[in-house]
Amino acid sequence: MSDAVSGMAEPDQLLDVAVDDLGIVRLTWVRGLRITEELANHAMTLVDRVNGSHERPLLVDMTGTAALTRPARVTFTRRCSASRIALLGQSPVDRVIANFALGVSSVPVPTRFFTSEPSAVAWLRHDDTGA
Amino acid sequence: MTTRAPEPGDDRLSQLVELVVELASGDRGARMQPSPASDEIDAVIVGINMMAEELQALDADLEARVTERTLQLEQAQLQLERLALYDPLTGLANRTLLADRIGQAMARADRGAAPPAVLLLDLDGFKAVNDSFGHAVGDLLLMEVASRLRAVVRESDTVARLGGDEFALVVIDATNDQVLEMAERIRTALQAPAQLGDQVCWVSASIGVCFAVRGQQADALLRDADTAMYEAKGTTRGAVQIYETRMHTAALSRVRLADQLRGAIAGGQLRVHYQSIVDLQDGRTSGVEVLVRWQHPTRGLLLPAEFIGVAEDTGMIAALDRWVLDTALAQLAGWRATVLGNSAFTMHLNISPIELRSPRFADEVLGSLAHHGISPADLVLEVTETQMTGDDAQTLQALETLRRAGIAVAIDDFGTGYSSIGYVRQKFLDLVKIDRALVTGLDTDPQQHRVAAAILAIVDAFGLDAVAEGVETAAQAEELRGLGCRFGQGIYWCAPMSAAPMTMHLTAAAHATKRAAS
C-alpha cells in the first residue's frame, strides 16, 4: 500500500485547501484515501483558517476516496465556516460514500452530491445571489 | 477485521455473498476490499462495509449502555433495600429487618441452637431534650445512642431503631447471664453525658429483657419485651427488667381497666370527694381539695392511684379531668350560692402534667370557670412534683396563662422528689403542699421535726405558703402552726367525703365562724 492510501503520510500531503476566484473554498482529497477522524479534523481546521471570520461555500472533491470512517463522518457533522457544501465525485462508490456522509449523520448546512463540477459550482453560487 | 483482496477474474459478487454471510453469522468486523474499478459492485461493497461499521458501532454503544444501566439498577436496588430495612437517621436496622432477624434466630433455635434474647429500650427524658433543645439536637442524641449501642453488641447481634426513642436488640448465642451483663453495660454506656453540638445532655434508658422460648412468634417476643420495659419505666430511671409471665397478666388487666374506664367516665361511675383544708392560724376551713373516685361495678370504690396511670397512658386523662373540673365547679357554685357566700374559699384540683402540655387546656379551664360563674381566684391547680419535668415551653405558657387570670398553682407531694429546690424557685408557684411523709412523726421524732422545720423554712424563704398534708393529730397541727405552716389538711379535721356530708361540714363550719366572730 502506498503512503497515501494508508494515511500515514503527513496530513498536508493528503489534501489541499484553497479559495478560488469565485470565492468558493475548494477542498481536494488525494485519491484512494481512507479518510480518518484525524484527517477530517485537519481538513475542517484548514477550511476555518482559510475563511477567517467569513463563511464561504465549500466544494469537496472526494473522487476516488477509498473509505470514510464512522468517526470521520461524525466529525463532519460539526458546524464549521462553510455556508454550503457540495460533494463532488464520479463513481458509484463515490456516490455511496457521499450519501453515507449526508444521510446517516445529519449535517449542519445544506449539502449535496454532484458528479458534474459546473452543476456543483452553480448550486454553490446560487446561495451568493441570495436565492 | 477480515479483509478479502479481489482475485483475478471477477468473482466479487460471490465474495460479496461470503461477506454478507460472515456478517450475518455475527462477525461484525468482516469487511471486503473494493476493486480499483469503483463501479456499482464496488459501490455495493463499500456500502456494505460502511453499514457493517455502523452496526458495529451501534452494537458497542448499546452494550456500554446496558452495562451502565445494569450497574445503576443494582445500585438502586441496594439503596431500596437499605431504605426498606434500615433506619435512615441512625443506620440501624428497622422494624422489618429486626423481625426478620428474630425470625432467623428462632429458626436456628428450632434446629437446636439456644433461643435468642430480645431487649427493648426507650430513653427516659428524651422528650425533655427535644422540647428544650429542639429536634435537631434530639436527632443528634438518637445517633449518639445508636453508636453507643453498636459499640456494646457483638457482630452477630442486631441493633434496631423502632422509631421515636425506642430501640431493640436481638442477642444470639449467649447465656442469660451474658445477656443481663450486656444490658448492664448498655445501661452504663448510656449514663455518660452526651455532647451534642453545643449542648450536653443526659439520658438513661429503661430496658426490658425477654428470653425467647422455642416456638414463640417474633411479635409476641417484642410484646413481652415491651411489657417488661413498661415495668422498668415504672421504677427508677435506667432500670433493667426481665419479663415475667405475671407482667403479661398485669398488662392484660391494664388493658381491661382502660376499657372499663372509658365506660365509667361516660356512664357516671366516677365520683368526686372533698377534703377540707384548714387555716392553722384561725382554724377556719379555707378550702377543699377535690379527689376523684371510681365506683367500680365489681371492685368497689377505687382511689386515683389505681386508675390515673391508666388514664394518662391511654389519653383519657383529658376527659376525666374535664369531668372532675366541671362537677367540682358546679358544686362550688352551689356552695357559693348557699353556705359560703362571698367568704374567702378556694377549691384545689389535681391536674396531670400531660394536660398542661395540651395547648387548649388553659382556655378550657377558664371557659369552665366562666360557665359556672366562679372567680379564677377561687381555683388552685395542684401538680405532683415528681411528675413535673416541665421545662417545656408549652407547660410554662399554660401556667402563665392560668396564673395571669388569677388561678393559683400548687406543687403537690413536695419533698418526695429529687429536685425540690428547683421547682420552688420557679416563678409559676403560689403554694407548696408538703407530703404526708414529712408530717408523720413530726411531733414525736426530733429528726422529723428538724426536717419539717427546714422544709417549711425554705418554702417561707421563697415567699410561698405551705399546706401540710396527712395531719392526723392535734399535736401535729400545733407543731406545724408553731413552725409557721399556714394551712393543714388531714383526717384530724375531716376525711375525704362526698358532696352532701361536705355541705353539712361547711355549714357547721360557717356557723362556728359566725359564733366566734359575734
Side-chain angles (χ1 to χ4, degrees):
Chain A
M1 278 190 197
S2 68
D3 277 344
V5 174
S6 72
M8 301 247 278
E10 284 300 314
D12 285 338
Q13 296 173 348
L14 301 172
L15 69 151
D16 185 76
V17 175
V19 184
D20 70 11
D21 304 326
L22 299 170
I24 297 172
V25 179
R26 290 179 180 254
L27 161 61
T28 310
W29 292 101
V30 155
R31 297 197 170 215
L33 185 61
R34 184 163 178 270
I35 301 177
T36 60
E37 188 183 5
E38 187 203 349
L39 286 173
N41 262 319
H42 188 63
M44 286 179 79
T45 308
L46 283 181
V47 169
D48 285 341
R49 199 184 298 163
V50 148
N51 279 332
S53 52
H54 301 290
E55 277 196 357
R56 290 196 182 92
L58 174 64
L59 179 73
V60 181
D61 187 348
M62 38 135 341
T63 311
T65 299
L68 176 67
T69 69
R70 195 171 184 269
R73 268 190 280 132
V74 172
T75 304
F76 285 137
T77 61
R78 276 200 338 252
R79 195 75 173 84
C80 69
S81 53
S83 56
R84 268 193 175 204
I85 302 174
L87 299 176
L88 185 60
Q90 270 177 32
S91 67
V93 173
D94 296 336
R95 188 163 145 247
V96 163
I97 292 177
N99 276 280
F100 262 91
L102 294 174
V104 181
S105 16
S106 56
V107 284
V109 294
T111 311
R112 268 179 69 172
F113 174 74
F114 295 91
T115 51
S116 141
E117 194 193 330
S119 307
V121 170
W123 180 78
L124 284 174
R125 290 188 72 207
H126 205 234
D127 183 41
D128 284 339
T129 58
Chain B
M1 191 172 97
T2 320
T3 315
R4 292 179 172 276
E7 292 175 40
D10 194 6
D11 59 348
R12 283 179 298 161
L13 274 177
S14 48
Q15 284 177 42
L16 248 181
V17 170
E18 285 310 308
L19 170 64
V20 171
V21 164
E22 273 168 47
L23 287 169
S25 76
D27 181 9
R28 298 279 200 249
R31 302 284 185 271
M32 183 172 160
Q33 180 90 312
S35 78
S38 293
D39 58 12
E40 279 89 355
I41 295 180
D42 291 314
V44 171
I45 294 168
V46 166
I48 290 181
N49 282 345
M50 291 181 85
M51 282 195 275
E53 189 189 7
E54 194 71 19
L55 255 174
Q56 208 174 20
L58 290 174
D59 240 3
D61 218 23
L62 190 65
E63 279 238 26
R65 255 186 275 169
V66 166
T67 310
E68 194 196 334
R69 285 283 183 273
T70 308
L71 198 64
Q72 284 177 347
L73 270 174
E74 282 169 6
Q75 285 174 344
Q77 174 76 5
L78 275 171
Q79 262 192 343
L80 269 175
E81 273 181 10
R82 281 237 120 230
L83 274 174
L85 299 175
Y86 292 89
D87 170 55
L89 178 68
T90 58
L92 297 176
N94 67 5
R95 202 179 273 270
T96 313
L97 184 55
L98 177 78
D100 185 60
R101 293 282 169 84
I102 294 178
Q104 282 178 24
M106 295 308 286
R108 283 177 72 239
D110 284 340
R111 293 193 298 270
V118 172
L119 286 76
L120 213 64
L121 65 93
D122 79 5
L123 305 177
D124 308 320
F126 177 73
K127 188 179 189 306
V129 170
N130 247 3
D131 290 342
S132 310
F133 304 124
H135 286 271
V137 173
D139 282 354
L140 286 175
L141 177 60
L142 290 171
M143 291 191 277
E144 174 68 20
V145 168
S147 81
R148 288 188 192 182
L149 289 175
R150 266 199 212 93
V152 170
V153 302
R154 307 160 302 170
E155 278 297 312
S156 49
D157 304 323
T158 306
V159 186
R161 177 179 171 219
L162 300 182
D165 62 340
E166 227 183 12
F167 296 83
L169 290 94
V170 183
V171 180
I172 60 174
D173 295 333
T175 65
N176 288 8
D177 284 340
Q178 286 171 330
V179 171
L180 290 176
E181 258 169 65
M182 185 184 286
E184 197 43 48
R185 282 204 299 278
I186 291 174
R187 214 180 56 77
T188 317
L190 293 181
Q191 272 176 351
Q195 179 76 44
L196 312 168
D198 297 330
Q199 299 296 340
V200 179
C201 300
W202 279 265
V203 284
S204 54
S206 299
I207 306 177
V209 180
C210 183
F211 297 109
V213 169
R214 280 193 186 84
Q216 237 180 332
Q217 296 296 323
D219 45 346
L221 258 175
L222 280 171
R223 184 203 64 207
D224 290 347
D226 188 54
T227 307
M229 184 182 72
Y230 182 88
E231 286 257 341
K233 284 188 96 61
T235 64
T236 53
R237 284 183 157 212
V240 177
Q241 186 72 51
I242 308 172
Y243 173 77
E244 294 162 41
T245 333
R246 62 155 179 89
M247 295 182 189
H248 184 57
T249 324
L252 277 180
S253 73
R254 270 198 301 276
V255 168
R256 217 179 310 125
L257 196 70
D259 275 341
Q260 292 168 340
L261 184 57
R262 234 168 251 122
I265 297 175
Q269 292 173 14
L270 294 184
R271 304 278 181 270
V272 169
H273 284 193
Y274 306 90
Q275 187 177 34
S276 57
I277 297 170
V278 172
D279 186 328
L280 293 175
Q281 288 173 359
D282 57 15
R284 206 178 55 85
T285 300
S286 63
V288 291
E289 182 181 349
V290 175
L291 302 159
V292 65
R293 304 282 183 258
W294 177 6
Q295 187 63 54
H296 193 277
T298 54
R299 293 170 58 183
L301 194 69
L302 299 180
L303 300 181
E306 297 174 83
F307 59 89
I308 292 295
V310 167
E312 286 176 339
D313 285 343
T314 54
M316 284 190 278
I317 192 69
L320 197 149
D321 278 356
R322 220 176 307 127
W323 180 86
V324 172
L325 174 71
D326 202 56
T327 310
L329 289 182
Q331 182 60 66
L332 181 58
W335 284 335
R336 278 260 175 249
T338 55
V339 63
L340 289 178
N342 284 333
S343 61
F345 191 86
T346 53
M347 184 165 259
H348 290 229
L349 220 57
N350 290 287
I351 56 167
S352 166
I354 293 173
E355 291 271 65
L356 286 170
R357 287 197 279 273
S358 153
R360 287 196 322 274
F361 175 69
D363 291 333
E364 282 174 2
V365 171
L366 295 173
S368 197
L369 283 166
H371 175 72
H372 292 285
I374 303 287
S375 159
D378 285 359
L379 187 61
V380 177
L381 298 176
E382 296 191 2
V383 189
T384 310
E385 177 199 14
T386 50
Q387 287 183 313
M388 274 273 261
T389 55
D391 277 332
D392 61 283
Q394 190 58 57
T395 300
L396 293 176
Q397 183 165 50
L399 290 169
E400 207 194 326
T401 309
L402 293 164
R403 292 186 73 242
R404 237 180 309 136
I407 299 171
V409 174
I411 196 155
D412 202 0
D413 299 341
F414 185 75
T416 57
Y418 292 107
S419 42
S420 315
I421 309 294
Y423 292 124
V424 173
R425 293 189 60 171
Q426 296 283 2
K427 286 178 291 217
F428 56 71
L429 280 189
D430 301 283
L431 207 58
V432 175
K433 296 197 78 178
I434 312 289
D435 188 74
R436 60 191 65 237
L438 294 169
V439 171
T440 316
L442 128 92
D443 52 334
T444 53
D445 181 349
Q447 165 83 334
Q448 280 288 71
H449 191 273
R450 279 195 293 275
V451 170
I455 302 269
L456 286 167
I458 291 171
V459 172
D460 184 59
F462 284 112
L464 301 170
D465 279 331
V467 179
E469 295 181 286
V471 179
E472 296 175 340
T473 68
Q476 287 170 351
E478 191 48 43
E479 285 299 321
L480 286 162
R481 203 173 63 81
L483 289 172
C485 181
R486 179 79 195 274
F487 299 100
Q489 181 182 346
I491 57 173
Y492 169 61
W493 291 286
C494 84
M497 56 183 72
S498 61
M502 178 51 76
T503 307
M504 290 190 336
H505 181 87
L506 289 175
T507 311
H511 288 165
T513 310
K514 257 200 240 148
R515 273 200 305 278
S518 59

